[in-house]
Amino acid sequence: MLLQILPSSMTPIYEQIADQIRLQIKEQKLAPLELLPSIRAIAREYHISALTVKKAYDLLETEGFVKTVQGKGTFVEKISGNVIQEEMQKQVEDAFEAAIQKALRMNFSKEQILEIVHLLLEGDLS
């Protein structure tokens, strides 16, 4: 399993790990029931805290993407494509909600917020 950790990113490392594993599950690069690398192995390989990796695995388990079996490891769960899509949509909605709340706190009008979104969508974001 390949991960790209960007320490300078504004996104916490545990979220970067969880996001990438979630995406690999969605893209079926990680198969149902596949054993994930151990927390210690990832921590060692990427020179990060084991607690950070554990936090990512715990988040993924809470969301239903993985299951940890004591003494055996953490495995990818069998999940439908709809569940994955719903989870990803929820994450995007949460990010939009946080950005909108911040803009409103900064006294942006709804029209100004929509204008920003339109400008970003017209730009080359892909």
Side-chain angles (χ1 to χ4, degrees):
M1 178 176 70
L2 226 58
L3 298 172
Q4 184 177 12
I5 308 295
L6 302 172
S8 61
S9 171
M10 296 296 286
T11 304
I13 292 174
Y14 80 93
E15 285 184 20
Q16 292 179 47
I17 295 168
D19 289 345
Q20 291 177 55
I21 293 173
R22 208 179 287 111
L23 183 62
Q24 289 180 39
I25 292 170
K26 179 183 183 272
E27 293 177 344
Q28 297 179 343
K29 292 178 182 173
L30 293 172
L33 305 180
E34 184 173 337
L35 177 64
L36 296 180
S38 73
I39 290 171
R40 287 190 182 110
I42 291 177
R44 197 172 32 252
E45 182 175 347
Y46 293 97
H47 307 287
I48 56 177
S49 167
L51 293 174
T52 299
V53 181
K54 180 170 179 6
K55 191 171 183 179
Y57 276 24
D58 288 348
L59 176 62
L60 290 166
E61 188 158 14
T62 299
E63 295 172 349
F65 285 93
V66 300
K67 174 126 178 101
T68 301
V69 178
Q70 187 67 31
K72 296 194 180 202
T74 301
F75 299 86
V76 175
E77 282 282 76
K78 294 179 186 176
I79 50 178
S80 72
N82 290 341
V83 171
I84 295 171
Q85 190 60 40
E86 286 174 18
E87 176 57 33
M88 292 177 75
Q89 181 172 340
K90 181 185 178 309
Q91 289 180 28
V92 171
E93 288 172 359
D94 290 348
F96 270 116
E97 183 177 357
I100 290 167
Q101 291 301 321
K102 182 175 184 176
L104 291 172
R105 283 192 307 275
M106 298 172 79
N107 295 319
F108 280 74
S109 68
K110 290 180 182 179
E111 292 76 21
Q112 288 172 311
I113 295 169
L114 286 171
E115 184 178 338
I116 292 169
V117 170
H118 287 286
L119 287 171
L120 289 171
L121 288 172
E122 289 173 4
D124 189 18
L125 294 177
S126 51

